[in-house]
Amino acid sequence: MISFPLLRTSCVVATAVALLGAGCTTPATQAPSPVAAAVDAPASPLELDRTVAAVGTDRIAVNAKVAELMAALRQAGTSQQQRQNICEQLGRILGTPVEGDSALALLAPMLTNPAEVNMGRLALEPVPGTAVDKLFLAAVGKATGATRVALVQSIGNRQIRAAVPALAPLLKDADASLSTAAAQALGQIGTAGALDALAAAPNPAERTVVDARIASAWQLPTVEGNVALHAVLADVRIAVEQRAAALRGLLDREPQSATTRIIEHLSGSELAFKQVAIEAIASHPAPGLSAALGAKLASWDASTQAAVIAALGRKGDIAARPSVATALAHEDVGVRMAAMAALARLPGSPELAERLAQVAARSSGDEAAAALRSLARLTGDGVSEAIVEKAKQGEPVLRSVYLEVIGLRNQTEALPLLFAASDDGDVNVRAAALTSLTDIAPAEAQGALLRWTINATDGREATRALRAFTSVSLRNTDLSTRDRALVEAIDRGEPSVQLRLLPLLARLPGVLTRECAGRLVLGADERVATAALAQLQRWPDATVLPLYVSIAEKTGSETVRTSAIEGALRLLDQGRGLPSAEQSSLVAVLFGTTKDPALRKTLVAVLGRGASGFAQAFVSSLQGEPELAEAARQALASIAANQKWPPAITTSVNPAQMANLVDGRTNTQWRVALEGEQWLRLDLKESRPLQRLTLDQTGRVGDFPTQYEVFVSDDQANAGAPVASGSGQRDRTVIPLPADTHGRYVTIKNSEQRENGGWTVSELFID
């Protein structure tokens, strides 16, 4: 036994007394001890490592550190957190290969003290050696209740073999927590004696005891452990999932009999055992397993066959290929689908490729698609070459499969064959080749695919040709030339060709295609003009707005003119910004193209969204027209108010984002949670007519007010009664206001909570 070195301070003298059990008391008024302060904060693993490294294995240094920690541990006023920290440090320091008998003796009483047992475990459990084992064994015989349970757990954690005689009787204890802890500890110890004790338990089939028996078996030598696992597997009193765990262990520990055992349980009726057997197939090293399973495959029910086939696919053993390929003809669709998926994982062959192609050609729906996917993923010597050769001649239905799978396999060496199919007499062959060209043809193939599109004689072929040409064109990074061949073909083509090629214009938006569509709208053929206008309506951006205006000016068809004006109005509405950014000059041109009263009034209202002197002068000139006088008056008032934009805004919440409501950018937002009674209040700076409010939610399309109310007033102190109410809408919440609504102050209030909901406004528009 080593002794602590003499220390100079009175505190350490008190510590020595404490170590002898007398305690070290500190008056409540005394300042906190520097020893306690040193361990005040919980130590991180890194800090503990540093402490151990600093102490090292020097006996004197260890004793000094232990003395310091023990003094802090016994000092009155040491907090629970400090005590835990101290014990953790003691466990790490005493766990170094040094003699610590003195400290061990001083910590031992904590193991039998219910208030300190967990602290003692924290300090002593990590410390190796029989001396500590003896402390736990001595303490467990004296302890009772929860203290005894805790000590048994530590004995298990330390795997104290000498504890088996003491633990065995506890398996019969009436306290279930103690008997359970004893069983678990014996399982952790895992000796033959521990296993014998567990087998002699009052109920050896009880779940905790069985878990411990299995745990022991894994720690025993192969023969003894396997005997234990066999005993668990054979005992029908034991829960089936635990017996399945024993089976899993035997498959690992007895590889020589694994094949027989797997087949036995696959042939049985117990689902848990069958599942273990299936799980083992993919990774088990038993020689001949795949071939043996293949020989028995047909004898099992369909669901078992499908599961085994899937496992054989994951295993990837070529020996499984014959039996899995045979399953392609099984009467059960689930087995056939499993076989196709598995074959994609197994080494393939030209013969197998042909089998899969036959399935794809003769089946339909999901099964045909599965066969095609499997053929697309099939590997093996000669497979790719066989697919190309089979695509050249033979039944059209089979050639179609091979041609389509060429694209899925990215076999670009077969591009000449795919293009040669354009002259084939069978439409299915031509369509299949086009499907592959969609996937793998290079940008240089635009011309060939354009000719194919023009010459297609079947609707399905034409559709696939259009798709292929679009995909290949999008691969052309030279935008200055990408669309030229298409536009030239449309310009010189007959109406039938133009109608066929027109759907490509909106799919390949650019300057050339946009101008081409505009020319066709103004052309003489009404069907072509209508189709071209439809393409403009599908255009993915607002670059067609000036074209709409030009068409409205030049067309001789009132129908086309009206459609052009309506298309322009849609784009103007979608692309709204600040009043100063409104395109009033284009609107004025549109106004001059039509005599339709309703359209003219709408265009005047759109002019009222602006703030320019041009818009003001143009609208002012319309006041003398009786049918437009009122619309002009309203628009002029709106323009005057817009010239004072933006309005002053106050909000009930999140005022920091108020400016985002009217900054002309939809990528900035005002956002709040929908907790009910949130509001926005606008001061438009002068009274003005109001027809509708639009809350744009770009970027957060689902964040709309649950229920809104709108108040309009010229009295800042009195909002009055709501003039409109309703539910918010996705994307944009458009709030129509009653006729003749007029005011300076506008309040928009969300009046209802929505759990986990939000209200976002990217931009606020006023009409």
Side-chain angles (χ1 to χ4, degrees):
M1 180 179 295
I2 61 175
S3 60
F4 296 122
L6 293 176
L7 300 175
R8 298 177 182 176
T9 67
S10 58
C11 182
V12 175
V13 174
T15 299
V17 176
L19 297 180
L20 296 174
C24 178
T25 60
T26 304
T29 57
Q30 183 173 316
S33 165
V35 177
V39 291
D40 188 43
S44 68
L46 180 59
E47 290 169 335
L48 289 173
D49 288 340
R50 288 172 178 167
T51 298
V52 173
V55 171
T57 58
D58 179 77
R59 182 176 304 181
I60 295 175
V62 169
N63 286 337
K65 187 64 178 178
V66 169
E68 175 189 338
L69 292 172
M70 290 296 293
L73 184 66
R74 292 302 187 197
Q75 185 173 326
T78 303
S79 70
Q80 188 75 0
Q81 180 60 63
Q82 290 172 327
R83 291 164 64 79
Q84 180 175 329
N85 185 21
I86 292 166
C87 288
E88 191 168 2
Q89 292 194 53
L90 284 168
R92 294 290 294 275
I93 293 170
L94 293 173
T96 58
V98 298
E99 297 179 13
D101 292 349
S102 298
L104 299 186
L106 294 165
L107 288 167
M110 299 178 72
L111 296 180
T112 54
N113 184 340
E116 295 185 331
V117 63
N118 287 322
M119 297 291 182
R121 293 172 66 202
L122 192 62
L124 290 171
E125 199 173 291
V127 182
T130 56
V132 179
D133 290 345
K134 290 177 182 178
L135 293 181
F136 278 101
L137 289 173
V140 78
K142 302 174 184 176
T144 59
T147 303
R148 199 176 199 188
V149 171
L151 293 170
V152 169
Q153 291 171 344
S154 287
I155 287 171
N157 293 339
R158 291 179 61 82
Q159 296 181 294
I160 302 176
R161 296 188 172 198
V164 171
L167 294 175
L170 302 183
L171 294 172
K172 304 174 183 179
D173 199 278
D175 184 346
S177 61
L178 181 57
S179 60
T180 296
Q184 291 170 339
L186 288 166
Q188 290 173 284
I189 292 168
T191 61
L195 186 60
D196 290 341
L198 290 165
N203 183 6
E206 191 271 326
R207 181 176 294 274
T208 304
V209 175
V210 173
D211 283 342
R213 291 168 63 186
I214 294 173
S216 292
W218 277 100
Q219 298 180 72
L220 289 170
T222 301
V223 174
E224 294 93 328
N226 291 357
V227 169
L229 292 174
H230 276 289
V232 172
L233 179 60
D235 192 339
V236 295
R237 298 172 301 168
I238 293 174
V240 68
E241 63 270 21
Q242 292 180 299
R243 296 172 65 202
L247 172 60
R248 189 176 290 109
L250 288 169
L251 290 176
D252 287 342
R253 292 166 65 99
E254 294 182 344
Q256 71 281 359
S257 60
T259 297
T260 301
R261 187 169 281 125
I262 288 171
I263 291 173
E264 172 194 346
H265 290 292
L266 288 173
S267 304
S269 58
E270 179 50 64
L271 184 60
F273 296 164
K274 188 175 291 189
Q275 186 62 44
V276 169
I278 290 168
E279 289 171 359
I281 292 171
S283 59
H284 206 286
L289 176 59
S290 298
L293 291 171
K296 291 288 295 182
L297 191 62
S299 67
W300 295 320
D301 61 86
S303 62
T304 300
Q305 286 190 55
V308 171
I309 288 169
L312 288 170
R314 293 192 297 273
K315 191 174 185 68
D317 186 352
I318 194 172
R321 190 171 71 190
S323 56
V324 176
T326 300
L328 290 172
H330 199 280
E331 62 182 10
D332 184 86
V333 65
V335 174
R336 298 197 300 271
M337 294 287 279
M340 286 183 278
L343 288 170
R345 294 170 171 261
L346 295 172
S349 67
E351 295 75 22
L352 185 55
E354 187 170 3
R355 290 283 303 275
L356 289 168
Q358 290 280 357
V359 174
R362 311 301 180 197
S363 305
S364 60
D366 292 343
E367 195 166 352
L372 200 62
R373 284 195 303 271
S374 183
L375 185 55
R377 295 177 58 190
L378 195 67
T379 61
D381 292 342
V383 170
S384 295
E385 294 81 1
I387 288 172
V388 173
E389 286 302 312
K390 294 289 185 180
K392 293 178 180 178
Q393 57 186 354
E395 291 181 73
V397 66
L398 276 174
R399 289 183 62 211
S400 298
V401 170
Y402 289 121
L403 286 166
E404 186 168 347
V405 85
I406 282 172
L408 295 174
R409 294 173 64 87
N410 197 33
Q411 291 185 235
T412 54
E413 72 275 11
L415 281 170
L417 174 63
L418 296 176
F419 281 110
S422 63
D423 296 326
D424 197 274
D426 190 280
V427 65
N428 293 313
V429 170
R430 300 197 301 271
L434 284 166
T435 298
S436 278
L437 287 169
T438 301
D439 293 333
I440 64 174
E444 294 75 20
Q446 275 184 288
L449 286 170
L450 182 58
R451 290 190 293 274
W452 196 333
T453 304
I454 293 170
N455 296 327
T457 59
D458 177 86
R460 184 159 65 100
E461 179 188 7
T463 298
R464 294 201 186 187
L466 286 168
R467 185 182 304 137
F469 177 79
T470 302
S471 296
V472 169
S473 297
L474 291 172
R475 294 179 195 135
N476 187 348
T477 57
D478 185 355
L479 300 184
S480 64
T481 62
R482 186 184 72 179
D483 308 329
R484 183 167 293 130
L486 169 64
V487 170
E488 289 174 352
I490 292 175
D491 284 342
R492 66 173 177 259
E494 296 294 323
S496 59
V497 172
Q498 292 176 332
L499 288 170
R500 173 168 291 182
L501 298 180
L502 267 170
L504 295 169
L505 295 178
R507 300 179 193 177
L508 299 170
V511 175
L512 294 178
T513 52
R514 185 171 66 244
E515 292 175 348
C516 178
R519 288 194 297 273
L520 295 176
V521 171
L522 297 172
D525 191 289
E526 185 176 346
R527 288 189 310 154
V528 173
T530 301
L533 190 58
Q535 289 303 306
L536 289 178
Q537 291 168 346
R538 296 188 181 97
W539 216 260
D541 55 48
T543 57
V544 293
L545 177 58
L547 186 57
Y548 273 134
V549 176
S550 177
I551 290 169
E553 284 186 291
K554 296 176 181 179
T555 184
S557 166
E558 283 301 320
T559 301
V560 171
R561 179 177 291 110
T562 299
S563 294
I565 293 172
E566 290 174 346
L569 287 170
R570 273 195 308 275
L571 291 176
L572 287 167
D573 198 50
Q574 292 168 3
R576 287 187 69 174
L578 297 174
S580 58
E582 290 295 326
Q583 302 187 55
S584 300
S585 58
L586 289 179
V587 179
V589 174
L590 288 171
F591 182 88
T593 66
T594 182
K595 299 298 182 183
D596 182 279
L599 279 177
R600 285 160 65 89
K601 285 182 180 179
T602 299
L603 290 165
V604 170
V606 172
L607 285 166
R609 297 174 178 173
S612 67
F614 172 85
Q616 195 169 33
F618 187 90
V619 173
S620 182
S621 70
L622 304 175
Q623 293 183 95
E625 297 187 31
E627 64 180 12
L628 295 176
E630 179 57 24
R633 185 186 67 80
Q634 298 264 6
L636 284 171
S638 297
I639 292 170
N642 291 341
Q643 289 171 345
K644 297 180 179 179
W645 196 267
I649 306 174
T650 54
T651 74
S652 61
V653 64
N654 202 4
Q657 294 180 349
M658 288 187 303
N660 296 343
L661 292 160
V662 288
D663 62 357
R665 297 182 296 164
T666 55
N667 62 343
T668 61
Q669 301 161 337
W670 173 81
R671 292 170 58 186
V672 296
L674 276 175
E675 298 173 349
E677 303 301 316
Q678 296 86 16
W679 50 260
L680 294 167
R681 183 168 296 133
L682 314 176
D683 177 1
L684 303 176
K685 300 179 182 176
E686 67 176 50
S687 189
R688 59 161 289 173
L690 297 163
Q691 297 173 336
R692 69 175 182 176
L693 306 170
T694 301
L695 309 178
D696 189 313
Q697 291 133 217
T698 297
R700 305 279 294 190
V701 296
D703 284 4
F704 50 82
T706 309
Q707 289 290 324
Y708 63 76
E709 291 180 327
V710 177
F711 304 81
V712 178
S713 172
D714 281 321
D715 184 352
Q716 185 176 15
N718 182 13
V723 299
S725 61
S727 301
Q729 305 130 33
R730 292 183 63 82
D731 192 26
R732 282 186 171 190
T733 296
V734 179
I735 305 173
L737 300 176
D740 300 324
T741 300
H742 201 282
R744 172 175 173 173
Y745 302 101
V746 178
T747 301
I748 309 167
K749 184 175 77 170
N750 170 65
S751 56
E752 187 174 313
Q753 180 180 5
R754 185 166 77 238
E755 189 173 353
N756 298 323
W759 180 14
T760 295
V761 182
S762 302
E763 204 66 18
L764 172 66
F765 302 118
I766 298 176
D767 290 285

